[in-house]
Amino acid sequence: MARALIIGCGAVATVAIKKCCTCSEVFSEICIASRHRENCEKLAQELRPNTKTVITTAAVDADKAENVSKLIKEYKPDLVMNIALPYQDLAIMDACLECGVNYMDTANYEPENIDDPEWRKVYDKRCKEQGFSAYFDYSWQWAYKEKFEKAGLTALLGSGFDPGVSQAYCAYALKHQFDTIEEIDILDCNGGDHGYKFATNFNPEINLREVSAPGSYWDTDENGKGHWVEIPAMSIKREYVFDEVGKKDMYLLHHEEIESLAQNIPGVKRIRFFMTFGQSYLDHMRCLEDVGMLSTQPIKFQGQEIVPIQFLKALLPDPASLGPRTVGKTNIGCIFKGTKDGKPKTYYLYNVCDHQECYKELGSQAIAYTTGVPAMCGAMMVLTGKWNKPGVHTVEEFDPDPFMEALTKYGLPWKENFNPVLVD
Ligand code: NDP
C-alpha cells in the first residue's frame, strides 16, 4: 500500500501508469502530474472505472524544484516517479531531498539549454577529462549521492529498458552465469515499421539529440586501464540477425549505462552499445541536421523566437500515436563474454516484444511499453522495500532477481542463448 507521485503523462508514463493501475495492492494511490493537467485527467478518467488505485491529477511545471516541493508537500507520496524529461531530473531530485521522499527516473540528466555558460564550463572539463562528448552523463546526479545517503533516501536512476533492464541483465549474468565478465555488447533492435518515412519512437528532441551525437564505447588498454573511445556519429556499422526479427543494420552509439557499468561490473574490459536504424531514418536525420533543424539554439522567425528542434517536434508524428500503425517486434538485450569455472563462456540475454501485442494490451507501441513496464517495476522494487539502498544508484547495483521476476509478470519475459553469434 503506497502512494506514488508520477510526473509526466507522455508515451512512456502512460504505459507505466496503466501498469501501476493493474497492481493496486502496491500502487494504492497515484497522482499524475504534468504542465498540462488536462492530459493527466483524460488518462485518469479512462482508468478510474477499471482500477482500485485511487487516481488524482495535478498541474506542475517540474522545471522548478519549488513547484515540485509544493506538490509533494500537498500529496505526501512515498516515491516520486520522474517520467517527464531528463531536463527535470535535478529539480525533482532537489524537491525529493527537501521533502524527504524517494526518487526514480528513466533517463539521466541533460540540460535543455546546452549553451548555458555555467553548464558549458563543467561539460567542457568533462569532455577533456573523460573523453566522451555526449550532452548527458551521470556526474550531475551522482553528485547527489552523499545528500541522499545522509537523508536515508533511495534514488533509482534510469529504470527503463536501456538504461534499466540492460543493467539488470548485466547484474543477472554476473550473479548467475559468470565469475567474470570481460565484454558486454548491448544490442537494441527495433524491427517495427510504423509506415511513416520519418518518425521517432519516443520524445523526438531527446531521441534525435542522442542519435546525432558522436558514438563512444568503453575499452581497456594493454596496462588494464579503462577509457572511452569516441568515434564520429554512425561510423561503426554492423549487421546482425536478431531472433524473431531478422537481419538488421546496427550502429555504435554512446549510451548512458556504459558509464555506470564500467564502474560497477568488476574487471569488465569493453562495453559497446548498438542500435538498429533503417536507411530512411538515417537519410532524414542527416538532412535535418545539415539544414539546422536539430538545433536547440533559439532563432527569430517572423518576429517570434522558435527553437528549431521543438518546431520539428510539432511537425513530426506524436510517438504516442504510433501504436495502431506499428507492426513488427523489438529485440533488446546483452551479449556477454567472460569466464565461468575457469572456462571461457558467452551468453545472450534478451527480450522480444511485439508492437501489435503491446497495442492490443495497452494502446501503446513497444518502445513506450518496453520503457514504461520497467519504470513501473523499478518503482515497485523501491516501494516494496526490495530495492532500498540510501544514495543514488543505477539498476545494476540492486538484486536483479525480484526485478526480473516482476518484468516477466508484467509483460517483459527474457530469453537466453548460450551460444550466441558475437559482434565483431
Ligand atoms: P513524451 O514527450 O511523450 O512525454 C514527456 C512528458 O513529460 C509529457 O507528459 C510532458 O507533459 C511532461 N513534461 C515535459 N516537461 C515537463 C515539465 N517541465 N514539468 C512537468 N512535466 C513535463 O516523452 P516520452 O514518454 O517518450 O519519454 C519520457 C522519458 O522516458 C524521457 O525522459 C525519455 O528520455 C525516457 N526514455 C527512456 C528510455 C529507456 O529505455 N530508459 C527509452 C525511451 C524514453 P506536459 O507537456 O503536460 O508538461
Side-chain angles (χ1 to χ4, degrees):
M1 299 283 279
R3 190 179 260 216
L5 168 60
I6 303 174
I7 302 183
C9 187
V12 174
T14 296
V15 170
I17 291 162
K18 287 183 177 174
K19 283 288 183 181
C20 290
C21 289
T22 66
C23 183
S24 308
E25 60 281 15
V26 174
F27 298 90
S28 47
E29 293 177 48
I30 60 171
C31 174
I32 314 169
S34 78
R35 290 168 304 183
H36 302 90
R37 185 181 184 173
E38 61 279 14
N39 297 341
C40 309
E41 195 47 45
K42 191 163 164 248
L43 179 61
Q45 277 174 18
E46 180 193 326
L47 295 172
R48 279 186 193 116
N50 300 311
T51 180
K52 287 198 177 116
T53 300
V54 178
I55 311 172
T56 49
T57 60
V60 71
D61 182 345
D63 282 336
K64 289 214 162 60
E66 61 257 37
N67 300 342
V68 183
S69 292
K70 188 167 170 276
L71 179 58
I72 294 177
K73 282 173 191 161
E74 279 163 22
Y75 188 64
K76 299 188 176 50
D78 302 293
L79 171 72
V80 177
M81 297 167 63
N82 169 14
I83 320 182
L85 298 177
Y87 307 150
Q88 284 85 44
D89 288 4
L90 301 185
I92 300 176
M93 287 176 86
D94 281 329
C96 285
L97 274 173
E98 192 202 325
C99 303
V101 185
N102 294 320
Y103 168 89
M104 64 145 293
D105 64 33
T106 60
N108 71 6
Y109 174 68
E110 71 180 274
E112 186 158 15
N113 177 12
I114 51 169
D115 299 309
D116 171 10
E118 282 304 301
W119 176 83
R120 271 272 155 194
K121 241 195 303 180
V122 182
Y123 168 76
D124 288 339
K125 186 164 172 275
R126 191 216 72 205
C127 288
K128 250 192 233 138
E129 284 173 5
Q130 300 276 327
F132 70 94
S133 60
Y135 294 134
F136 50 89
D137 73 273
Y138 278 115
S139 65
W140 298 90
Q141 290 177 281
W142 281 341
Y144 284 70
K145 271 182 181 179
E146 220 181 292
K147 288 186 200 161
F148 271 79
E149 262 164 32
K150 277 196 182 136
L153 297 172
T154 301
L156 168 64
L157 306 188
S159 190
F161 205 105
D162 44 341
V165 178
S166 55
Q167 289 138 291
Y169 284 175
C170 294
Y172 180 89
L174 193 58
K175 184 173 174 185
H176 298 290
Q177 299 292 340
F178 288 91
D179 295 325
T180 56
I181 294 178
E182 279 159 19
E183 293 180 14
I184 303 170
D185 278 332
I186 304 165
L187 309 191
D188 180 333
C189 163
N190 180 8
D193 181 4
H194 44 57
Y196 288 115
K197 287 211 167 82
F198 186 73
T200 64
N201 292 300
F202 68 96
N203 183 283
E205 192 174 330
I206 305 296
N207 182 232
L208 289 165
R209 269 193 185 195
E210 172 180 290
V211 172
S212 58
S216 62
Y217 61 97
W218 185 255
D219 209 351
T220 301
D221 64 23
E222 60 279 7
N223 302 316
K225 193 172 172 334
H227 59 94
W228 288 95
V229 179
E230 185 156 273
I231 55 155
M234 304 292 167
S235 60
I236 294 187
K237 174 184 170 186
R238 298 284 185 271
E239 202 178 76
Y240 198 81
V241 181
F242 289 90
D243 182 27
E244 298 192 45
V245 174
K247 200 194 284 178
K248 291 277 168 196
D249 288 338
M250 60 183 192
Y251 297 82
L252 188 144
L253 296 188
H254 174 82
H255 224 246
E256 65 197 61
E257 65 265 52
I258 301 177
E259 200 187 347
S260 68
L261 289 169
Q263 293 203 4
N264 293 324
I265 302 296
V268 70
K269 293 198 172 94
R270 190 180 72 182
I271 312 171
R272 304 183 296 183
F273 182 98
F274 291 91
M275 192 178 269
T276 62
F277 295 101
Q279 202 49 49
S280 171
Y281 182 97
L282 293 179
D283 291 344
H284 279 79
M285 192 187 73
R286 269 191 203 122
C287 175
L288 289 166
E289 191 175 21
D290 287 347
V291 298
M293 281 301 284
L294 303 190
S295 169
T296 52
Q297 184 88 10
I299 57 155
K300 275 260 186 297
F301 178 71
Q302 297 187 343
Q304 226 187 323
E305 200 166 78
I306 59 164
V307 176
I309 198 164
Q310 286 174 2
F311 178 67
L312 174 65
K313 182 181 180 218
L315 294 175
L316 290 175
D318 176 0
S321 72
L322 299 176
R325 12 184 334 139
T326 308
V327 291
K329 293 178 182 179
T330 61
N331 176 326
I332 319 175
C334 305
I335 300 178
F336 303 97
K337 212 172 144 185
T339 58
K340 179 74 179 169
D341 301 327
K343 289 193 200 108
K345 175 171 179 173
T346 58
Y347 176 63
Y348 190 5
L349 190 52
Y350 60 96
N351 164 265
V352 176
C353 193
D354 185 301
H355 283 285
Q356 278 302 302
E357 291 298 318
C358 296
Y359 186 67
K360 267 189 243 148
E361 185 194 326
L362 292 186
S364 296
Q365 33 84 355
I367 304 302
Y369 190 95
T370 54
T371 312
V373 170
M376 171 270 196
C377 292
M380 180 188 270
M381 293 300 107
V382 177
L383 287 172
T384 54
K386 291 190 172 108
W387 284 6
N388 183 350
K389 199 191 293 188
V392 175
H393 304 286
T394 41
V395 169
E396 73 274 22
E397 294 179 70
F398 294 96
D399 181 4
D401 293 354
F403 182 62
M404 298 217 352
E405 225 173 83
L407 290 173
T408 301
K409 181 168 174 194
Y410 291 98
L412 297 175
W414 74 87
K415 293 178 89 173
E416 298 172 295
N417 181 341
F418 289 87
N419 188 22
V421 174
L422 302 180
V423 182
D424 62 25

